[in-house]
Amino acid sequence: MQQTKSVGIGSFALKSKAYFELLKFRLSAFVALSGMFGYSLAVHRIDWLKLGMLFIASLAMTGAANIINQIIEKEYDKLMKRTAGRPLPMGRLSVQEAAIYAFVLFVIACYLFIAFFNLRACALSVLSLLLYGFVYTPLKRVGPIAVFVGALPGAFPPMIGWVAATNHYGLEPGILFAIQFFWQFPHFWAIAWVADNDYKKAGFKLLPSVGGKDESTALQIMICTLCLLPVGWLPYELGMTGINSAVVATVCGILFLAQTFYLMRKRTDKAALQIMFGSFLYLPIVQIAFLLDKL
């Protein structure tokens, strides 16, 4: 009896771990925090309950999108070293279990967006899920157009946060969208550069140049990174933040841009990896600077 109970507890723990992995918590939390940034920048006084609900809603919607992605790519994930150990390729969860989990998360997210915020924020969040799960995911085997499509839902979170706070579309959330939109390209392409050989096993075509890891790809990464300099200055010009954060955004943009010149010169995985880590630093530093400057 005791042994049966222990086996049951162990099985429950393994299932729970698999569900947690399916959520891609770190990625989903990063997206949710970006939404909280947009909300906090829009309001004059933070409602901490709403901010918490926004985090949960965004986490649930992003998690649902990630699960849809993993369901569609289950067979392709088996072919790649970086994804072969995921719950679905390993059989630790069935597609049906994953689909039910995604649906429950989707319902929770929609309820929280409507109950605590507004229909516009909910609609944007649903659109983000549809673009990521059902458009970007299948396009990954078609060509680099997938990265452009994927950059759209990837740039939605701060705009969703702003709309959740104000129930209003406008230039301000559009600027927040633009910053994160242009950031997506060096971020995604640096990852695609480093993981190119693995991606090829699954037929994913994400690098912008036909030649793959070549000068053309490095140039396009540089051009998109260069766009961050003017758009990073716009929040100050619109009176959303002060001059200090504009300076921080400019300095971070220049340092980020310098990494792309290094990639153009060396064209190595090490140089692309530096851009990837640079992208992880650029966005939170700039967003925190915007918030601190507003305060």
Side-chain angles (χ1 to χ4, degrees):
M1 183 72 177
Q2 185 66 36
Q3 185 177 3
T4 303
K5 186 177 179 181
S6 298
V7 171
I9 293 173
S11 177
F12 175 78
L14 289 173
K15 280 283 187 182
S16 299
K17 182 182 178 183
Y19 278 117
F20 183 78
E21 289 178 30
L22 205 62
L23 184 65
K24 291 187 179 179
F25 180 81
R26 283 188 296 179
L27 173 61
S28 298
F30 182 81
V31 172
L33 288 170
S34 192
M36 293 169 70
F37 154 72
Y39 174 89
S40 300
L41 200 63
V43 297
H44 296 293
R45 184 176 181 181
I46 294 176
D47 183 324
W48 294 102
L49 173 62
K50 284 192 171 184
L51 194 64
M53 290 300 104
L54 180 64
F55 178 82
I56 295 171
S58 301
L59 185 75
M61 190 67 80
T62 306
N66 287 333
I67 294 167
I68 292 169
N69 170 272
Q70 292 174 80
I71 290 173
I72 294 173
E73 293 184 349
K74 174 188 172 185
E75 297 303 318
Y76 305 131
D77 281 348
K78 292 179 181 178
L79 305 175
M80 297 183 291
K81 183 179 179 181
R82 61 189 290 273
T83 56
R86 287 177 176 175
L88 293 180
M90 291 287 289
R92 289 185 284 140
L93 287 174
S94 68
V95 169
Q96 183 179 14
E97 287 173 320
I100 292 172
Y101 185 33
F103 179 74
V104 170
L105 289 173
F106 174 77
V107 171
I108 291 172
C110 288
Y111 170 77
L112 292 177
F113 271 117
I114 293 172
F116 287 90
F117 304 102
N118 52 72
L119 192 58
R120 287 177 175 173
C122 184
L124 273 178
S125 189
V126 171
L127 177 60
S128 178
L129 176 142
L130 294 175
L131 284 172
Y132 184 84
F134 298 106
V135 184
Y136 162 72
T137 297
L139 280 178
K140 287 167 71 176
R141 288 172 55 84
V142 175
I145 184 65
V147 176
F148 175 81
V149 174
L152 295 173
F156 275 6
M159 182 168 66
I160 292 171
W162 185 285
V163 173
T166 64
N167 197 20
H168 173 69
Y169 299 114
L171 195 55
E172 292 88 350
I175 295 304
L176 299 182
F177 169 87
I179 293 171
Q180 199 145 316
F181 178 77
F182 286 111
W183 170 85
Q184 298 283 321
F185 292 97
H187 173 71
F188 274 141
W189 283 334
I191 293 173
W193 184 300
V194 174
D196 187 50
N197 292 332
D198 215 19
Y199 280 153
K200 284 178 178 175
K201 296 174 185 176
F204 293 157
K205 306 168 184 176
L206 298 178
L207 290 176
S209 170
V210 176
K213 299 192 282 189
D214 61 8
E215 187 176 1
S216 176
T217 289
L219 177 63
Q220 291 181 68
I221 291 174
M222 184 273 288
I223 291 171
C224 291
T225 307
L226 182 63
C227 291
L228 287 171
L229 291 175
V231 297
W233 194 265
L234 288 176
Y236 164 67
E237 291 293 333
L238 291 176
M240 297 165 62
T241 59
I243 187 65
N244 293 328
S245 59
V247 172
V248 170
T250 300
V251 171
C252 288
I254 291 171
L255 293 174
F256 197 11
L257 185 63
Q259 292 181 313
T260 69
F261 287 122
Y262 182 70
L263 178 66
M264 288 181 65
R265 190 168 77 252
K266 296 293 185 179
R267 296 197 291 278
T268 62
D269 287 358
K270 181 181 177 181
L273 196 62
Q274 288 178 350
I275 292 176
M276 186 181 77
F277 285 125
S279 70
F280 284 128
L281 290 173
Y282 172 88
L283 197 63
I285 289 175
V286 169
Q287 289 181 343
I288 291 170
F290 285 154
L291 283 177
L292 291 177
D293 210 7
K294 182 196 171 186
L295 295 174

